[in-house]
Amino acid sequence: MPSSAGRGRAEELLARVPLVDGHNDLPWALRELAAAGPLSEKSTPGDPTTNASVVDLTTRQPALQTDLVRAREGRLGMQFWSVWVPCRPAGDAAVTAVLEQVELVHELVARYPDHLRLATTADEAERAFADGRTASLIGAEGGHSINGSLGVLRALRRLGVRYLTLTHNENTPWADSATDEPVHGGLTAFGREVVREMNRLGMLVDLSHVAATTMRDALDTTSRPVVFSHSSCRAVADHPRNVPDDVLARLAANGGVCMITFVPQFVSPAYAAWDARLKEAMDAAGERHNDLVARNRFAAGWPEPTPRVTIDDVVAHLEHAREVAGVDHIGLGGDYDGVPTQPEGLADVSGYPYLFAALLDRGWSEDDCARLAGRNALRVLRDNE
């Protein structure tokens, strides 16, 4: 465990420097709670107002990894709330679902004004932090949610959405995903048009979830800095969701940021190998590993225990990314409430100070920790405005 001195320094640092997290799936987790159980990929239930009121987030919620009590304990200063929808529903139903998710974030902000404040710019986010609120930004996860329409993309931007993740676990008609069979070899001509339009609109191009070929095509196309809202390093844990070193190295010239995630199968080499074996077992059983509901259901009955994952596994990715991309090009994207479990010490959103204490104990300077915490992410946000 980090030292008490390190924890004290981390608390002081995060009191004055906003901690920006790139990805949190609380909105979908609330939909699942409102539906009284995990949603199938064909389900789009509920009214956003009902979903927002299903639990009282001002009290501890053990069924969730995020609530407002633990967010304050974790010094969470700014959060990109993910307005994710599964790869199914598709088409118009995906557009409906993402709009419902955007509305849900607006409802949460309205419901908890003493804790949350909507922000669409870096200046607004910094003012919210200065006023003791968690600045609430919105990121749309999965390019299928625009249904091939630049008009829908523009509408999402008008509603306050600041990034779009180009794919989720499956390819779109215009971009290859990291966890699907490649079809396009990266981005299609329309995919490049999407990137250019995002640059024009001031939306961050989010390259988490996409294939390495898509990452490279996007970097060749974009005129603005990109983000990885929740990805880690392929050289440390060999998982297709992670970022190869050649792409990390390109972030310096691009000005972008890789927001290191805490997801166990992405940060632990042993867990990544476990996940690869799980995929083989699912393939043999005729199940789709990139279907999150099917994967969680299958894993629950699989006899092979999951490996232990700790803060040290996350630190290994942060130090590798700092070495390859540079300290100005790293951030954090925990993916809380997007996965069933998180590493020991980072089980919920209260754990961020422990991570920064561990880094300070390892000799990271407070200035480097401040860049990691939020300065880098805020720079990229401004550079896309």
Side-chain angles (χ1 to χ4, degrees):
M1 287 293 291
S3 69
S4 57
R7 174 63 189 253
R9 290 176 66 201
E11 292 274 8
E12 189 277 332
L13 174 74
L14 297 179
R16 55 184 171 83
V17 176
L19 170 61
V20 182
D21 183 281
H23 194 87
N24 184 300
D25 277 303
L26 177 65
W28 191 264
L30 292 174
R31 285 173 73 103
E32 290 192 329
L33 286 176
L39 301 176
S40 75
E41 286 205 337
K42 296 181 180 179
S43 301
T44 56
D47 172 71
T49 304
T50 302
N51 295 338
S53 62
V54 68
V55 296
D56 179 4
L57 293 175
T58 63
T59 63
R60 294 181 187 274
Q61 294 295 333
L64 298 169
Q65 295 167 356
T66 309
D67 56 51
L68 299 174
V69 178
R70 289 176 292 175
R72 287 201 182 276
E73 292 173 352
R75 301 286 187 172
L76 182 59
M78 302 179 189
Q79 179 67 68
F80 280 93
W81 301 108
S82 170
V83 292
W84 173 69
V85 296
C87 295
R88 292 172 185 74
D92 291 343
V95 177
T96 299
V98 76
L99 291 174
E100 289 175 345
Q101 291 294 89
V102 171
E103 178 61 18
L104 175 53
V105 174
H106 284 269
E107 290 285 349
L108 288 172
V109 171
R111 187 174 182 81
Y112 302 107
D114 293 338
H115 296 267
L116 305 176
R117 184 181 297 168
L118 191 71
T120 60
T121 68
D123 284 349
E124 290 174 356
E126 288 185 325
R127 284 196 293 271
F129 173 75
D131 290 341
R133 308 298 192 272
T134 298
S136 295
L137 302 105
I138 304 175
E141 184 179 23
H144 61 290
S145 64
I146 69 169
N147 195 22
S149 167
L150 295 181
V152 172
L153 181 71
R154 295 177 193 122
L156 290 176
R157 179 65 182 91
R158 286 184 189 276
L159 292 171
V161 175
R162 283 308 310 267
Y163 74 61
L164 175 71
T165 317
L166 300 186
T167 73
H168 191 246
N169 283 348
E170 297 181 14
N171 301 332
T172 68
W174 44 273
D176 281 339
S177 167
T179 48
D180 202 351
E181 292 299 319
V183 173
H184 312 297
L187 287 174
T188 68
F190 179 74
R192 292 182 177 88
E193 190 176 354
V194 170
V195 169
R196 287 191 288 268
E197 183 65 4
M198 290 175 68
N199 289 163
R200 189 186 73 81
L201 294 171
M203 291 180 76
L204 283 68
V205 176
D206 178 19
L207 300 181
S208 286
H209 278 288
V210 308
T213 50
T214 306
M215 298 175 194
R216 296 177 187 119
D217 281 354
L219 285 166
D220 289 342
T221 304
T222 186
S223 60
R224 304 286 186 106
V226 303
V227 296
F228 291 84
S229 66
H230 59 306
S231 295
S232 292
C233 304
R234 190 77 176 262
V236 179
D238 188 14
H239 193 285
R241 270 283 281 106
N242 286 338
V243 187
D245 274 3
D246 71 290
V247 175
L248 282 174
R250 291 185 66 177
L251 289 180
N254 169 262
V257 169
C258 181
M259 306 181 87
I260 297 297
T261 194
F262 306 160
V263 178
Q265 57 263 48
F266 303 164
V267 299
S268 161
Y271 210 125
W274 177 93
D275 193 54
R277 294 191 295 274
L278 176 70
K279 183 180 185 302
E280 291 174 359
M282 291 187 71
D283 289 346
E287 297 260 24
R288 291 193 305 124
H289 182 264
N290 60 2
D291 177 336
L292 293 178
V293 174
R295 185 198 307 171
N296 292 337
R297 182 181 63 246
F298 191 93
W302 201 42
E304 187 174 335
T306 56
R308 181 171 177 250
V309 186
T310 71
I311 281 180
D312 289 341
D313 291 299
V314 177
V315 169
H317 286 267
L318 289 168
E319 295 198 322
H320 182 82
R322 181 179 63 166
E323 179 180 349
V324 176
V327 72
D328 292 320
H329 305 286
I330 54 176
L332 296 172
D335 203 5
Y336 283 112
D337 285 301
V339 291
T341 60
Q342 294 279 17
E344 294 175 17
L346 294 170
D348 56 55
V349 293
S350 68
Y352 299 105
Y354 291 104
L355 176 61
F356 281 89
L359 296 174
L360 291 166
D361 285 347
R362 290 178 66 88
W364 282 52
S365 70
E366 291 195 7
D367 185 62
D368 284 357
C369 285
R371 297 181 198 196
L372 169 69
R375 286 180 185 165
N376 294 339
L378 283 164
R379 185 196 70 243
V380 170
L381 193 62
R382 280 198 171 88
D383 287 347
N384 276 270
E385 290 173 4

